[in-house]
Amino acid sequence: MNRLIELHLHLDGSLRPDTVWELANEQGIDLPLHSREEVRNQMRVPENCKTLEEYLERFDLPLLVLQKADALERVTFELVEDLAKAGVEYAEIRFAPQLSVQGGLTQAEVVEAAVQGAKRGMQAYPGIRVGLILCCMRGDTNEALNLETVEVARQYLGDVVCAVDIAGAESLFPTEHFKKVFDKVQAYHLPMTIHAGEAAGPESMRTALSFGTKRIGHGVAAIHDAELMQELIDQNVTLEVCVTSNYHTKVVPSIAEHPIRKLFDAGVRVTVNSDNMTASGTNLGKEIEILKNTFGFTEDELAKMMEYAWEARFLKD
Ligand SMILES: [Zn+2]
């Protein structure tokens, strides 16, 4: 079996529903939901989900319980545990510290709690290595919070915190609006990846490349732009592709119409990722099965993808 490397995985989209239920009770949060089953359903994307924005509503409930340090530590540990048990040997987990400051934590304290959880996970499961990517958020009122995220990333960059990203509603808040944030990322020489070419087109990816990134989250819009695809190839840019998630957010009308096969065959460095294990009801193993069954990827081709992922990882000893 091929080695398993996961480069694009959101913490808040990958929580155990039972944990969210337990944390809500522990923290005395009055949920409008009355059972573990209802929590599970709420966290899972509905079959008729129509947009990225609707998809992102899946994160409201998890974020309610992620405002305390012990909860952040716990869920990070549990995700490392889930990945290790699934045989993943290297994973980069991402989250936005600014979404966990409603209970009085600073972004730095949020990051410290997640780092503790990741370290405890790696101690319990020595077969896995985990990095944390700090996400800025697309928006028009949070520039100070984004700049703080970059500062925190600079402060904690090391053997766990490994890069900066930007996530959120790409069509509402275009990538070009975040130049100031990524100027700072570049000035500090922080490793980065950028969600782009998911809900917006090739121009969003071009902007991301102009910020200096060598990794792009999703990037499926490149299929509409041969020149851009060539640029990705020439510049050794790695795409973190998440097939099931792209179907759920209607980036593609069906799984079968996903361009991952065409991108790979053209020579783009494509990797396979889960994005959100709970929200999309998936994991790396399921995504790989889709690549085999729907797109006919061979073991050798999958090994090539894992090689791309390994080369693009942020934590290099
Ligand atoms: Zn993502």
Side-chain angles (χ1 to χ4, degrees), residues 17-298:
D18 279 347
T19 297
V20 172
W21 172 255
E22 284 163 27
L23 287 173
N25 287 323
E26 240 175 73
Q27 297 175 8
I29 296 171
D30 196 12
L31 293 183
L33 306 166
H34 304 100
S35 69
R36 289 170 188 261
E37 199 49 40
E38 282 182 39
V39 167
R40 191 175 299 275
N41 290 337
Q42 175 67 25
M43 288 172 68
R44 181 84 182 258
V45 68
E47 266 314 309
N48 57 355
C49 180
K50 287 177 194 65
T51 63
L52 178 60
E53 288 70 37
E54 193 183 343
Y55 186 83
L56 293 176
E57 286 168 19
R58 298 310 110 201
F59 299 85
D60 295 349
L61 180 58
L63 286 169
L64 273 182
V65 301
L66 293 185
Q67 307 302 324
K68 292 193 179 338
D70 54 352
L72 286 154
E73 198 274 351
R74 173 177 170 178
V75 299
T76 310
F77 169 82
E78 288 181 351
L79 183 50
V80 175
E81 181 170 70
D82 291 344
L83 292 166
K85 286 184 172 171
V88 175
E89 70 176 77
Y90 178 91
E92 290 169 5
I93 297 168
R94 59 186 78 193
F95 63 99
Q98 66 186 264
L99 298 181
S100 290
V101 298
Q102 303 302 322
L105 294 176
T106 63
Q107 290 197 43
E109 287 167 338
V110 172
V111 170
E112 276 176 30
V115 168
Q116 289 311 318
K119 285 187 171 168
R120 184 159 68 91
M122 286 188 278
Q123 274 158 15
Y125 299 92
I128 187 169
R129 175 102 192 262
V130 171
L132 296 177
I133 298 173
L134 308 189
C135 296
C136 297
M137 290 303 297
R138 293 174 184 273
D140 50 12
T141 57
N142 63 333
E143 186 170 85
L145 290 169
N146 282 337
L147 292 172
E148 186 185 341
T149 303
V150 178
E151 292 294 343
V152 171
R154 182 193 202 188
Q155 189 186 342
Y156 286 88
L157 193 76
D159 57 354
V160 180
V161 174
C162 61
V164 176
D165 175 29
I166 188 160
E170 186 187 7
S171 56
L172 301 180
F173 307 107
T175 306
E176 66 200 43
H177 291 189
F178 303 94
K179 183 175 184 324
K180 190 169 165 189
V181 173
F182 283 93
D183 278 350
K184 195 169 210 171
V185 172
Q186 258 187 318
Y188 290 167
H189 303 291
L190 301 176
M192 69 175 106
T193 177
I194 295 179
H195 277 75
E198 181 187 18
E203 72 292 345
S204 179
M205 294 178 65
R206 284 211 166 80
T207 306
L209 294 177
S210 78
F211 292 165
T213 194
K214 293 290 176 193
R215 273 174 52 175
I216 289 182
H218 302 291
V220 291
I223 199 66
H224 306 302
D225 189 327
E227 220 170 279
L228 176 60
M229 263 167 71
Q230 194 55 50
E231 249 172 82
L232 298 176
I233 295 163
D234 293 343
Q235 297 179 30
N236 281 334
V237 175
T238 302
L239 300 187
E240 306 153 3
V241 176
C242 314
V243 171
T244 302
S245 164
N246 289 160
Y247 166 61
H248 284 150
T249 59
K250 295 301 171 283
V251 169
V252 292
S254 70
I255 297 260
E257 287 166 90
H258 196 286
I260 189 164
R261 170 50 93 181
K262 287 181 188 149
L263 289 165
F264 180 83
D265 288 350
V268 178
R269 291 176 162 259
V270 172
T271 63
V272 53
N273 303 278
S274 306
D275 208 10
N276 297 291
M277 285 162 52
T278 308
S280 274
T282 192
N283 59 40
L284 200 47
K286 288 187 187 175
E287 294 300 310
I288 288 170
E289 282 308 302
I290 290 171
L291 295 195
K292 284 188 198 169
N293 299 334
T294 308
F295 300 97
F297 276 88
T298 65

